[in-house]
Amino acid sequence: MSIGEMLAATVPMARTLNLEFVETSADRAVVSLPDQGAYHNHVGGPHAGAMFTLGESASGAIVLAAFGDQLARAVPLAVRAEIAYRKLAMGAVTATATLGRPAAEVVAELDAGQRPEFPVSVEIRRADGAVTGEMSVVWTLRPNG
């Protein structure tokens, strides 16, 4: 099962919004939100909550890709998130997530008995390439037990 399929199967909001996991690797994750009238706002574009979920889902996908081999000893958790809506989003939008710290550095902190925190940056773009939103999600790997 791919990371996208796993998230769609286990995260009800990703499934509800019909998110499409276009690319998922330890270097970047690309997730698309199709244009769906049921999730439009008052001006006919994707609702801010749908765009937040899109960005958070992209950040979660890269976290699973980068740290999936650590799941037996730690659980990834979002600590905090911030989003800035830059331009009007209309139609389908795509979120691209990248890690803000090298994965090896985060794992080294986990190996040292710490609970590492690391940022994931997300850009949300509409089909014409314009950036409609920017998001930062800080994640942690909470050691089990």
Side-chain angles (χ1 to χ4, degrees):
M1 182 180 284
S2 72
I3 289 173
E5 291 168 337
M6 182 180 71
L7 285 171
T10 59
V11 179
M13 280 303 296
R15 198 170 48 250
T16 296
L17 291 176
N18 300 306
L19 297 182
E20 299 170 6
F21 293 83
V22 178
E23 176 186 339
T24 303
S25 72
D27 296 319
R28 76 183 202 151
V30 180
V31 182
S32 183
L33 172 66
D35 186 21
Q36 302 167 89
Y39 305 113
H40 281 178
N41 59 20
H42 61 290
V43 294
H47 189 276
M51 288 179 47
F52 184 95
T53 300
L54 169 68
E56 195 274 342
S57 296
S59 76
I62 197 170
V63 167
L64 286 176
F67 302 108
D69 61 342
Q70 303 299 316
L71 295 180
R73 67 182 186 139
V75 61
L77 297 169
V79 175
R80 62 187 169 276
E82 184 175 320
I83 191 166
Y85 301 101
R86 300 287 182 210
K87 290 188 180 213
L88 184 61
M90 298 298 283
V93 288
T94 301
T96 302
T98 55
L99 285 178
R101 290 179 58 199
E105 186 179 288
V106 174
V107 172
E109 287 182 16
L110 187 63
D111 290 342
Q114 298 173 3
R115 182 176 169 171
E117 288 190 3
F118 54 94
V120 175
S121 297
V122 182
E123 277 193 342
I124 302 172
R125 295 179 181 270
R126 58 186 186 213
D128 68 2
V131 175
T132 63
E134 295 172 322
M135 186 174 193
S136 176
V137 183
V138 175
W139 287 81
T140 188
L141 295 179
R142 185 190 75 196
N144 295 334

